[in-house]
Amino acid sequence: MAGRGSFPLSPLPPAAAPPPPGPGPAIMRGPSPVPAAAAAAAAPGYRPMGPAAAQYQRPGMPPGNRMPMAGLQVGPPGAPPYGAASPMRPGLPQSMMDPFRKRLLTPQAQPPLATQRRGVKRRKMADKVLPQRIRELVPESQAYMDLLAFERKLDQTIARKRMEIQEAIKKPLTQKRKLRIYISNTFTPAKEEGEGGERVASWELRVEGKLLEDPSKQKRKFSSFFKSLVIELDKELYGPDNHLVEWHRLPTTQETDGFQVKRPGDVNVKCTLLLMLDHQPPQYKLDPRLARLLGVHTQTRASIMQALWLYIKHNKLQDSHEKEYINCNRYFRQIFNCIRMRFSEIPMKLAGLLQHPDPIIINHTISVDPNDQKKTACYDIDVEVDDPLKAQMSNFLASTTNQQEIASLDAKIHETIESINQLKTQRDFMLSFSNNPQDFIQEWIKSQRRDLKIITDVIGNPEEERRAEFYQQPWAQEAVGRHIFAKVQQRRQELEQVLGIRLT
């Protein structure tokens, strides 16, 4: 801090300040294997489902084909097309039929870690819901469903509060505190020529301060509360060029705990301190006429714009046909000097009505009375500081510890639900087998036969086609005629292409 005279304003010395779950084991998606002897006893005419069955083909037919004809349905008129699923056996519920259609999955290479993580993210809330059939078997599971409903409500509440916190952080979150300013001075009398020390009497003014009842652990420097500080001394004593001492904040300014000014003199000096607070975000003083109209004296630009819009809305000054225009009343006409203006013109017109806020003025007398070596005056002013809650809210949004723990628990719940569903499938399988073993084996063999046809891409029913009765049905003669006709047409087209002529 430098004055206009030869004595600088120097700052005081600084004071001391205080794991995602990995892939599970291979899962068997199907019924328990049945011994081959039991299957053979239940169905003597069943052909084994081994490599030999996959290679079986009716003699005289190309592999994988059975009398191909465009647009012709081969088979009995009322029967479904070959290769389609057969109808469900009456009396057997769907829950008991589904396991029969499932096959044993072949082990495959594990997907990359990134693919596994994407799969985990696709899990939804519905994956944690117990199926209705399991809830009917275990009535105690209703307690789990109640907890799941409560968790859903809790997640919605947390998500809503998180959004509210994000919106609150965007706005300046401050609270008013008391800053106590201490103004003191010391006097050093002149020494005789024979004595050591200064020969000229001088005084030293100190300006310090601290927050009252500051709960934060980190102490804030006194100079950080101000944008500028001006000390005006008696002009008659120090002249027009040396009576002002100024300090202004710069981008490279280092914060200090206080200021001190030293000047020669042996008489009391009246001084005036002008302190300009450093508001964040900046605040402005409104024109007196507009301040009386809006009821706002000194505020931020956003708060002034909000108060102006509320006044326009309350007095219905917005044009009913052209919404972008404002029809000025008699007060606005005096302030803005126009009858009508656009909303986009308000910031430009408002800029001329904003002024810097008034500084804090403190009148103080520097005493040089030898009997009063140190006289201190205290002044309390209101300042705005960051709300400690803002830091806690930011830490809450940035924290990922709870999220990782919740994700880990969700993964365990998903694995448990999948295990329960598998156990329910195995239970249905064993229960249906114990109720009627013979019918169960028959239906299981039919299901495996359909799955084999889908795996080997076999068209038709080889078991029926290998019998002579299959070709003695009424549709066989017409099918053979159509097949021969299609072959003749195909051969004729080939000859026409080779000879380059059209046969008639």
Side-chain angles (χ1 to χ4, degrees):
M1 185 173 190
R4 295 187 181 177
S6 58
F7 292 88
L9 174 62
S10 57
L12 292 177
I27 300 174
M28 179 184 295
R29 298 180 55 215
S32 302
V34 180
Y46 174 68
R47 189 164 52 252
M49 297 193 314
Q55 298 174 1
Y56 170 78
Q57 189 65 34
R58 186 168 58 84
M61 294 295 295
N65 294 328
R66 179 186 172 275
M67 299 177 65
M69 292 187 184
L72 177 63
Q73 177 181 351
V74 181
Y82 293 113
S86 62
M88 187 189 306
R89 181 174 66 84
L92 191 63
Q94 178 69 21
S95 60
M96 296 185 180
M97 287 295 295
D98 290 342
F100 306 154
R101 301 303 310 275
K102 297 180 179 178
R103 299 183 296 276
L104 202 62
L105 291 179
T106 57
Q108 298 179 356
Q110 295 295 337
L113 184 59
T115 307
Q116 294 179 6
R117 289 178 179 175
R118 287 197 297 268
V120 172
K121 290 181 181 178
R122 291 194 189 102
R123 289 176 173 176
K124 299 179 180 179
M125 190 71 178
D127 298 338
K128 298 195 294 186
V129 177
L130 284 174
Q132 181 64 30
R133 61 180 186 274
I134 296 179
R135 281 180 274 169
E136 293 174 355
L137 290 174
V138 186
E140 293 82 0
S141 61
Q142 186 60 37
Y144 168 77
M145 297 303 297
D146 295 341
L147 285 175
L148 206 61
F150 179 77
E151 181 192 11
R152 188 181 298 109
K153 294 180 180 179
L154 186 61
D155 289 342
Q156 294 173 356
T157 304
I158 292 176
R160 185 175 67 253
K161 291 298 181 182
R162 183 178 290 272
M163 293 181 63
E164 292 176 358
I165 290 175
Q166 291 175 350
E167 292 297 326
I169 287 181
K170 295 178 182 178
K171 302 176 182 178
L173 193 61
T174 60
Q175 58 179 202
K176 287 191 175 182
R177 301 293 302 279
K178 290 290 184 182
L179 176 66
R180 177 159 294 177
I181 300 176
Y182 301 94
I183 303 176
S184 61
N185 69 275
T186 58
F187 172 69
T188 304
K191 301 295 183 180
E192 299 293 337
E193 294 183 2
E195 300 178 1
E198 297 182 357
R199 297 182 180 181
V200 180
S202 62
W203 52 261
E204 182 178 312
L205 178 68
R206 301 169 66 93
V207 182
E208 304 167 289
K210 66 175 183 179
L211 282 175
L212 300 181
E213 300 178 359
D214 188 6
S216 61
K217 298 180 180 179
Q218 186 176 4
K219 184 180 178 182
R220 186 172 173 181
K221 300 289 186 179
F222 174 70
S223 62
S224 63
F225 292 99
F226 303 99
K227 187 184 299 182
S228 64
L229 170 64
V230 178
I231 301 177
E232 183 179 355
L233 303 176
D234 193 344
K235 188 184 297 186
E236 296 180 357
L237 293 176
Y238 295 95
D241 297 332
N242 198 29
H243 75 291
L244 290 180
V245 183
E246 300 179 3
W247 172 86
H248 300 280
R249 176 180 298 281
L250 298 175
T252 58
T253 300
Q254 294 184 355
E255 307 298 344
T256 62
D257 288 323
F259 305 96
Q260 59 184 6
V261 180
K262 189 174 183 180
R263 289 290 186 273
D266 55 359
V267 295
N268 294 345
V269 180
K270 292 183 179 180
C271 65
T272 303
L273 284 76
L274 305 176
L275 299 126
M276 182 69 71
L277 291 174
D278 186 16
H279 297 285
Q280 295 296 334
Q283 293 188 4
Y284 301 92
K285 176 185 175 183
L286 270 177
D287 181 90
R289 297 173 298 173
L290 188 59
R292 288 194 299 269
L293 192 65
L294 302 181
V296 176
H297 183 266
T298 303
Q299 263 299 345
T300 61
R301 188 185 295 269
S303 300
I304 294 172
M305 290 294 296
Q306 183 179 7
L308 189 62
W309 163 245
L310 292 176
Y311 179 85
I312 294 172
K313 185 178 180 181
H314 182 265
N315 292 274
K316 299 179 181 179
L317 301 181
Q318 188 177 13
D319 195 293
S320 57
H321 300 288
E322 296 177 335
K323 300 293 185 180
E324 69 273 14
Y325 281 95
I326 300 171
N327 298 322
C328 298
N329 57 8
R330 61 191 183 95
Y331 301 109
F332 271 23
R333 285 196 292 268
Q334 295 175 5
I335 296 172
F336 295 106
N337 296 322
C338 63
I339 301 176
R340 198 167 183 240
M341 63 178 176
R342 291 176 177 266
F343 271 100
S344 58
E345 298 174 355
I346 291 180
M348 181 180 62
K349 292 182 176 294
L350 191 62
L353 301 173
L354 299 181
Q355 305 171 4
H356 291 291
D358 296 331
I360 298 173
I361 301 175
I362 299 177
N363 296 314
H364 182 73
T365 301
I366 301 172
S367 174
V368 295
D369 187 0
N371 298 326
D372 189 7
Q373 288 294 324
K374 189 172 182 180
K375 183 178 181 181
T376 303
C378 299
Y379 302 90
D380 289 345
I381 61 174
D382 291 330
V383 294
E384 291 183 351
V385 297
D386 290 337
D387 196 333
L389 186 61
K390 186 175 183 178
Q392 299 178 10
M393 294 163 66
S394 301
N395 294 335
F396 171 75
L397 295 178
S399 176
T400 58
T401 305
N402 296 334
Q403 299 297 330
Q404 294 175 356
E405 183 179 359
I406 292 173
S408 175
L409 295 176
D410 282 344
K412 292 181 181 179
I413 293 175
H414 284 107
E415 292 176 359
T416 305
I417 296 299
E418 290 178 2
S419 176
I420 291 175
N421 290 331
Q422 294 171 17
L423 293 175
K424 177 63 171 61
T425 301
Q426 295 176 9
R427 178 185 180 279
D428 292 342
F429 181 88
M430 298 299 179
L431 187 61
S432 58
F433 178 76
S434 63
N435 291 337
N436 194 337
Q438 183 175 1
D439 292 346
F440 175 83
I441 294 296
Q442 292 289 347
E443 294 297 333
W444 185 79
I445 291 173
K446 291 180 182 179
S447 171
Q448 295 297 313
R449 185 182 302 166
R450 289 191 297 269
D451 293 344
L452 178 63
K453 288 169 59 178
I454 295 174
I455 294 173
T456 57
D457 294 332
V458 175
I459 301 176
N461 193 341
E463 182 65 24
E464 295 180 0
E465 293 176 3
R466 72 186 186 89
R467 302 181 183 275
E469 293 84 1
F470 180 78
Y471 302 98
Q472 296 177 2
Q473 301 183 36
W475 54 268
Q477 185 175 1
E478 180 183 357
V480 171
R482 293 197 177 202
H483 177 68
I484 295 175
F485 179 75
K487 288 294 184 181
V488 170
Q489 293 295 330
Q490 181 181 0
R491 183 60 179 167
R492 175 175 294 181
Q493 292 177 2
E494 294 175 357
L495 291 174
E496 289 178 354
Q497 292 178 357
V498 172
L499 301 175
I501 59 176
R502 182 173 179 80
L503 301 177
T504 57

